[in-house]
Amino acid sequence: MSIDRYRRGARRPAWLDRLSQVFGGEPQDREQLVALLRDAKQRALLDPDALSMIEGVLQVSELRVRDIMIPRARMVVVQRDDSLDRVLPVAIESAHSRFPVIGDDKAEVVGILLAKDILPFCAQMQERRAFNIRDLLRSAVFVPESKRLNVLLKEFRSSRNHMAIVVDEYGNAAGVVTIEDVLEQIVGEIEDEHDYDEGAPIFKRGAREFTAKARTTIEEFNEYFGSDFSHDEFDTMGGLVVNAFGHLPKRNERVEIGGFRFTVMRSDSRRVHLLSVHPLSPTERQERTVDGALA
């Protein structure tokens, strides 16, 4: 809700009244409100997490679906004529609970398949033979790229849907957005049961594959890998990687720095959250190709 709406008689939140009393004035626009809140944090009236969430709420009203959606090229989908043997590996590898079902290509989404709906077909061979995605399809919700996130969140809550297909001006699927994507703009990254241990900044997935939280300090990273990244300019690996890109990267963008290939696994409109780390072998260092930026 904007400051102008407060002036037109809408109910003001109590916390804004209290802050106005403490600082001796009422903010005249959003910028002044944010400055007031940041000043409150400096005075220990707000903790950093609370400030981050309030700023996220203010930002949600300005962002549109296109700003946070997973683009069509990166959607994890199944086809409406896929057999169970083709669907199961997709469900297991992605660990998602919902999948857009496409027709001839990703631009044509014909419905949504819930992972829980395929479980009964995994029990007996006779039921496996009877599997038909068309019988399990649930209606897809379609939203335009221009829809504001606060409006979408309200619709998600009222309809109890968790996923929407984003369409462009021609009605073709442009991407997908979930309620989790919207909430993460407010509260930050939401880790679920498929994420690794909260206490581990770096997790080994394979012989030369690792996952690292963007907030992993450069000192922690150097100690784990025996690397020598400087921490004079940046404290975290997220800061180092974003600086190497020269822009805020999106998911699946990659960059090579100091003998490592970093791939963004999770990010939003404000920060990078999760990185895939691949230490380059001597051969890879010699044959590496440019993808994003060189170290």
Side-chain angles (χ1 to χ4, degrees):
M1 185 179 293
S2 68
I3 301 301
D4 289 338
R5 287 187 63 187
Y6 296 144
R7 296 199 186 106
R8 291 198 299 267
R11 182 179 176 83
R12 289 163 50 98
W15 59 265
L16 182 56
D17 286 328
R18 289 196 294 269
L19 282 176
S20 298
Q21 293 172 6
V22 170
F23 294 98
E26 178 179 314
Q28 300 302 307
D29 53 35
R30 179 164 297 185
E31 288 71 25
Q32 289 186 16
L33 175 60
V34 172
L36 187 68
L37 293 169
R38 290 176 178 172
D39 192 12
K41 183 181 82 71
Q42 294 295 325
R43 301 184 184 215
L45 297 175
L46 282 177
D47 62 54
D49 288 339
L51 174 61
S52 178
M53 283 190 286
I54 293 173
E55 288 183 322
V57 169
L58 294 174
Q59 187 181 48
V60 160
S61 64
E62 297 178 337
L63 292 174
R64 298 181 184 273
V65 170
R66 68 168 68 94
D67 298 320
I68 70 165
M69 71 178 186
I70 299 170
R72 182 171 65 200
R74 300 175 185 170
M75 285 167 42
V76 179
V77 302
V78 295
Q79 295 184 321
R80 62 185 167 194
D81 295 319
D82 279 349
S83 65
L84 184 61
D85 290 335
R86 293 178 65 91
V87 173
L88 276 178
V90 176
I92 293 171
E93 182 178 352
S94 67
H96 292 172
S97 60
R98 292 168 174 79
F99 302 91
V101 180
I102 63 172
D104 296 329
D105 56 51
K106 283 189 175 181
E108 180 191 6
V109 175
V110 298
I112 302 294
L113 176 68
L114 271 58
K116 67 179 183 179
D117 288 342
I118 68 176
L119 293 179
F121 295 91
C122 301
Q124 299 179 6
M125 185 57 66
Q126 183 177 358
E127 292 178 340
R128 291 173 69 94
R129 287 195 293 266
F131 177 80
N132 188 329
I133 286 183
R134 297 169 187 261
D135 297 332
L136 303 175
L137 278 183
R138 303 201 180 204
S139 299
V141 174
F142 297 93
V143 299
E145 294 177 292
S146 58
K147 184 179 286 291
R148 293 188 181 276
L149 292 191
N150 58 331
V151 177
L152 177 62
L153 181 59
K154 184 181 296 185
E155 292 178 358
F156 273 146
R157 292 177 59 191
S158 61
S159 66
R160 299 186 179 180
N161 285 310
H162 288 202
M163 173 183 284
I165 305 301
V166 185
V167 294
D168 60 22
E169 59 183 312
Y170 303 105
N172 296 322
V176 65
V177 64
T178 68
I179 191 171
E180 182 177 312
D181 295 327
V182 181
L183 292 175
E184 284 186 338
Q185 303 306 307
I186 300 174
V187 301
E189 181 188 3
I190 300 173
E191 297 184 347
D192 58 29
E193 64 271 22
H194 302 293
D195 295 320
Y196 62 91
D197 179 18
E198 172 68 23
I202 301 172
F203 177 75
K204 186 174 183 179
R205 304 197 317 267
R208 301 184 64 80
E209 297 297 332
F210 302 81
T211 299
K213 294 182 179 180
R215 63 173 178 262
T216 302
T217 66
I218 294 177
E219 290 181 336
E220 289 175 320
F221 189 92
N222 286 340
E223 182 178 354
Y224 189 96
F225 289 102
S227 52
D228 59 354
F229 289 113
S230 171
H231 50 80
D232 292 339
E233 295 185 59
F234 306 99
D235 295 325
T236 67
M237 292 306 298
L240 183 72
V241 169
V242 170
N243 179 70
F245 276 109
H247 64 273
L248 186 62
K250 296 181 179 180
R251 191 168 64 172
N252 291 337
E253 288 194 65
R254 60 177 57 178
V255 66
E256 293 179 8
I257 318 171
F260 294 84
R261 179 182 298 127
F262 296 93
T263 304
V264 177
M265 296 178 67
R266 284 190 180 181
S267 66
D268 57 32
S269 60
R270 292 183 288 173
R271 63 178 72 89
V272 172
H273 294 288
L274 206 60
L275 298 166
S276 174
V277 182
H278 174 78
L280 298 174
S281 66
T283 302
E284 288 174 318
R285 294 189 188 194
Q286 293 176 358
E287 300 177 352
R288 73 183 190 216
T289 57
V290 176
D291 185 3
L294 286 175

